[in-house]
Amino acid sequence: MLSISGLSKCYKDKHALENVSFDLDRGEIVALLGANGSGKTTTVQSICKLIEYDEGTITLDGEPTHSSNAYLQKVGAVLGGSRNINWRLTAKQNADYFARLRGFSGTKIHQNINELHSALGLDEHSKKEVMKLSTGNKQKAALLCALSYTPDFVLLDEPTLGLDFQTVDDLQTIIKQCANKQNQGLLITSHDLAFIENICSRVIVLHQGKLLFKGDVSALKSKMYKYRLSLQLNDRQQFPLASMQSLWDGRFAITENPETQIVDVHFETSEQSLKFIHHIHEQKISIAELKIAPLSVDEAYQALVKSEKQ
Amino acid sequence: MHLHLLFNELKLQYYEMRQYWFETVSGLILILLMFVGLFYGIKGFVVEQGDNQSLDGLVFGFIMWSFASAAYGSVTKTLIEDNQKGYLEQLFLCPQGFVSLVLHRSLADNLTSVFMVTIIAYIAMAATNNWLDINFPIMYGILLLAAPSLVGFGLIMCGLALVFKRVETIGAFLTLGLMGLVALDGLPFNLFSLLPFVPGVSLAREVVLEQSPFIWSHLVIVLANSAIYLGLGIVTFTFFERKAKKLNLIGQY
Ligand SMILES: Nc1ncnc2c1ncn2[C@@H]1O[C@H](COP(=O)(O)OP(=O)(O)OP(=O)(O)O)[C@@H](O)[C@H]1O
Ligand SMILES: [Mg+2]
């Protein structure tokens, strides 16, 4: 088991991570979510010892990782999008190199590399060096390297960046196999909630370096708002905010910006908005603009943060 | 010493040479032409003077300089010249540590360059029927003992590059600096002996070129020079590596 406890990292006086703790078991797929700058990459870098963290301990199977680098034999990582392998070699040559760098070689490794190479759809590009691959295929080549020696723990920082739908699908299958067949534990950062939802058993949400939520996907989803209604009235005077509040069934959150005269309502089910719009129509309230849109994952975090604070 | 790392680096070299066979072949041909040019160009000049020694000396100087550049470059190319974004991060994930990886890479590079230059030198000698009085195995033996000083020096530069970036400009300047190092005489012990690699070249010059008797204390100076610079390089690099990890600079390449 990979255990992170009390992890903190400061830049100057700003916390990139503050007292973050979680575990990752073999055979488990865990998502690390959060808006830009929330500390996901910092967490992954800390586990790989690419940065020196200020406080906290990271242990692998009970052994602290601080004193020796030997634990890296059991860790594979795709860091910072694509491109993090040797551009002058082909994907397979890279995989061979990085496997041996970790101390793994032989026919079993080669067989594994060949299988993954096909599964990732890289076979038709087998002659090209990584430099000549497209962004998505570079990303796949980096994945091939990280998985080549079947490390016990795999860290993927935004693995879906630049991948098309079909490839994301294939990637899901491969990741599930890693967990189910090879009993590998995977930590995946992503902004793609649909992707995460399909494969992850648990999620961890970071917000401004702090752990905001830890639990399974459905628990997170039940906490997050799904839609936002944005309303701009023509006349500040007729803003009947108090009476409008009563029109929202169930869970919702209203925020008002006095400067722009925009009222934002976050809510959960689309029907919730019908009564509200009906009311506006009945009262002949003149509106400049009205928008209803599903929240992006990042916006949903923000709403979640606000509701956590209350 | 981790044999799997050494083998991995040799294999990497082979892959890269094969992938970029044109650069590899043209590079080798260039060195071959330089040798042949040295032989023919100087020969006429030398024979006039009836002094075969200076041809040996010139070829010797050329080999020293190319070896010194290769030894220094074997370390710096990974960090300073070859800064593909993110590749470096993956190399830092070596279970034996990044420094160990760089040292193995450098050893692999040096072995290959010794091998190549020797073969080319012999081809050039055969082609021009001009047999130099240089004992290659002994010369390279001495050079390999002296190389760690330049590797250590390279590590110091890499450490600086890791934190301060933009050290490439020093590289061009260093090529000239290396020519200077190769020309100095650091034996018996004097102030020049404190510079990296100088005692090594001097010992090789004494033993291989001038064929003077071998002096043990000189070898000790060479070994001490190597050990001190390599140690200094590892300590300095490790210091800057920590600093870079504190400031999160490794991924920022
Ligand atoms: N070298 C650095 N110096 C100062 N601050 C840094 C440095 N590197 C990262 N940070 C800060 O640390 C915080 C966390 O960054 P991190 O890269 O972990 O975010 P992230 O969750 O991965 O974001 P994204 O979704 O954009 O990838 C950010 O506020 C960032 O500005
Ligand atoms: Mg990130």
Side-chain angles (χ1 to χ4, degrees), chain A residues 9 11 45 49-52 69 77 83-89 93 96-97 100-101 129, chain B residues 4 8-9 11-12 15-16 18-20 82 84-87 90 95 105 242 245-246 248:
Chain A
K9 171 74 186 169
Y11 292 110
Q45 286 173 323
K49 261 212 264 184
L50 282 168
I51 61 168
E52 199 166 285
N69 279 333
R83 310 209 285 179
N84 43 12
I85 47 174
N86 190 330
W87 283 26
R88 289 181 299 268
L89 303 186
Q93 290 170 342
D96 178 60
Y97 176 83
R100 196 176 286 102
L101 185 73
E129 60 260 49
Chain B
H4 73 277
N8 210 24
E9 295 307 323
K11 199 163 177 187
L12 171 68
Y15 281 152
E16 290 192 348
R18 200 181 54 177
Q19 192 79 43
Y20 293 87
D82 185 22
Q84 298 168 43
K85 195 175 184 302
Y87 175 38
Q90 286 291 344
R105 182 169 278 196
R242 276 195 69 159
K245 285 184 173 181
K246 270 221 142 52
N248 185 13

Side-chain angles (χ1 to χ4, degrees), chain A:
Chain A
M1 189 165 71
L2 184 66
S3 287
I4 287 91
S5 99
L7 191 65
S8 295
K9 171 74 186 169
C10 240
Y11 292 110
K12 301 223 173 78
D13 46 0
K14 195 177 161 290
H15 271 285
L17 280 180
E18 206 175 335
N19 195 21
V20 170
S21 307
F22 63 89
D23 292 335
L24 175 66
D25 236 329
R26 285 178 176 76
E28 197 182 25
I29 309 175
V30 174
L32 190 56
L33 306 178
N36 293 126
S38 56
K40 305 181 296 294
T41 299
T42 309
T43 308
V44 172
Q45 286 173 323
S46 300
I47 298 172
C48 296
K49 261 212 264 184
L50 282 168
I51 61 168
E52 199 166 285
Y53 41 93
D54 304 327
E55 276 166 67
T57 45
I58 299 177
T59 60
L60 203 155
D61 297 332
E63 296 280 330
T65 57
H66 200 81
S67 45
S68 152
N69 279 333
Y71 78 99
L72 288 170
Q73 271 205 311
K74 296 186 188 167
V75 175
V78 172
L79 304 155
S82 60
R83 310 209 285 179
N84 43 12
I85 47 174
N86 190 330
W87 283 26
R88 289 181 299 268
L89 303 186
T90 65
K92 263 190 199 174
Q93 290 170 342
N94 262 297
D96 178 60
Y97 176 83
F98 282 109
R100 196 176 286 102
L101 185 73
R102 296 296 211 290
F104 299 95
S105 54
T107 45
K108 226 183 136 220
I109 297 291
H110 272 173
Q111 204 183 329
N112 190 39
I113 292 176
N114 285 338
E115 278 168 20
L116 277 167
H117 196 268
S118 306
L120 284 164
L122 284 170
D123 279 352
E124 55 178 313
H125 307 290
S126 63
K127 290 260 173 344
K128 285 187 204 159
E129 60 260 49
V130 170
M131 191 192 307
K132 292 181 185 155
L133 295 176
S134 67
T135 312
N137 285 331
K138 277 183 188 141
Q139 175 83 12
K140 290 189 212 168
L143 263 164
L144 176 70
C145 293
L147 299 175
S148 58
Y149 47 97
T150 26
D152 290 357
F153 296 95
V154 182
L155 315 168
L156 305 176
D157 197 358
E158 304 196 29
T160 52
L161 207 70
L163 298 187
D164 61 34
F165 284 116
Q166 181 56 48
T167 312
V168 170
D169 247 25
D170 296 345
L171 183 60
Q172 287 178 355
T173 316
I174 291 168
I175 288 176
K176 276 187 202 155
Q177 276 178 359
C178 286
N180 299 336
K181 294 216 178 103
Q182 322 260 31
N183 202 30
Q184 291 168 282
L186 294 101
L187 183 68
I188 303 173
T189 82
S190 181
H191 292 280
D192 182 349
L193 196 64
F195 173 74
I196 291 304
E197 210 182 331
N198 281 336
I199 54 172
C200 292
S201 42
R202 284 196 301 132
V203 284
I204 293 155
V205 180
L206 295 177
H207 177 71
Q208 294 179 353
K210 291 199 195 77
L211 196 103
L212 182 70
F213 175 86
K214 194 157 65 165
D216 51 350
V217 184
S218 56
L220 174 70
K221 287 190 77 179
S222 72
K223 287 190 114 180
M224 292 204 303
Y225 294 111
K226 288 200 188 66
Y227 300 94
R228 173 171 48 210
L229 179 147
S230 274
L231 178 72
Q232 187 166 26
L233 295 179
N234 272 329
D235 186 355
R236 181 77 183 86
Q237 250 61 85
Q238 29 166 226
F239 222 112
L241 198 59
S243 73
M244 284 181 175
Q245 288 205 357
S246 64
L247 294 165
W248 290 95
D249 296 330
R251 226 161 62 85
F252 65 92
I254 296 185
T255 44
E256 186 190 358
N257 186 335
E259 267 169 40
T260 55
Q261 295 203 16
I262 292 177
V263 175
D264 280 332
V265 188
H266 291 114
F267 56 102
E268 272 169 343
T269 56
S270 48
E271 300 84 54
Q272 276 181 282
S273 59
L274 295 178
K275 217 198 293 182
F276 180 76
I277 293 172
H278 180 68
H279 175 76
I280 290 176
H281 181 64
E282 260 186 359
Q283 302 292 311
K284 299 198 170 60
I285 296 172
S286 127
I287 48 177
E289 203 179 326
L290 184 134
K291 271 189 298 198
I292 300 179
L295 284 178
S296 75
V297 178
D298 289 342
E299 290 166 331
Y301 294 135
Q302 302 300 333
L304 178 66
V305 175
K306 286 202 183 99
S307 69
E308 289 287 303
K309 276 186 188 150
Q310 280 160 15

